[in-house]
Amino acid sequence: MKNLSLYGSLSYNRFYFAQDIDNASGGKVSVDGQQVPGAPKFLAKGIVSYTIGDFTLSPSVKYFFERYGDVLHRERIDDAVIYDFDLSYATTLPRFKIKKAVSKPVADNFFCWPFFRRQPNL
């Protein structure tokens, strides 16, 4: 299809401590070589872009593999999926000698489930 584009990526993140660290009371925390908290080792992303005239619709999905929420790797954070949506409008503005002007509103984490869940009556 002429107006359809597919993109995908897989990244490997080796973001680790290069040495042990000191805690607030002056003791050593043995973390040398461990992954930094909050940084997943793998991240996958897929995007579908469809162009209609001057508009481009681009839904995307990001998959974060498990990671840890603390330095000692005791708090495991499960895999997570995040959905985003981009809508862009591209046009030329010859009066201002602009070959391409793009306006792009973005909705990150579009299906944030806690946000859309029905709230209890108070």
Side-chain angles (χ1 to χ4, degrees):
M1 245 186 197
K2 183 180 175 183
N3 298 340
L4 184 69
S5 298
L6 302 173
Y7 307 94
S9 66
L10 176 66
S11 63
Y12 172 73
N13 180 14
R14 182 72 174 113
F15 185 33
Y16 62 94
F17 289 102
Q19 63 187 27
D20 291 339
I21 58 175
D22 297 324
N23 63 18
S25 60
K28 288 277 186 197
V29 180
S30 180
V31 294
D32 187 13
Q34 292 186 16
Q35 192 81 1
V36 171
K41 279 191 179 180
F42 295 98
L43 171 67
K45 184 172 183 176
I47 304 171
V48 177
S49 287
Y50 186 71
T51 302
I52 305 167
D54 293 335
F55 292 93
T56 302
L57 308 147
S58 300
S60 64
V61 61
K62 290 184 276 191
Y63 185 84
F64 293 86
F65 288 73
E66 73 175 35
R67 57 207 181 279
Y68 292 94
D70 68 324
V71 171
L72 297 175
H73 288 197
R74 293 181 184 155
E75 181 186 342
R76 184 180 164 276
I77 300 173
D78 291 334
D79 301 2
V81 177
I82 305 235
Y83 300 94
D84 299 332
F85 184 80
D86 295 5
L87 171 66
S88 62
Y89 175 76
T91 189
T92 58
L93 300 172
R95 180 176 174 186
F96 300 104
K97 297 182 181 179
I98 296 175
K99 293 180 183 178
K100 187 174 186 180
V102 178
S103 174
K104 186 175 183 178
V106 176
D108 285 334
N109 202 5
F110 189 68
F111 293 111
C112 180
W113 294 117
F115 188 77
F116 287 107
R117 284 191 187 129
R118 184 181 175 141
Q119 298 297 315
N121 293 330
L122 299 177

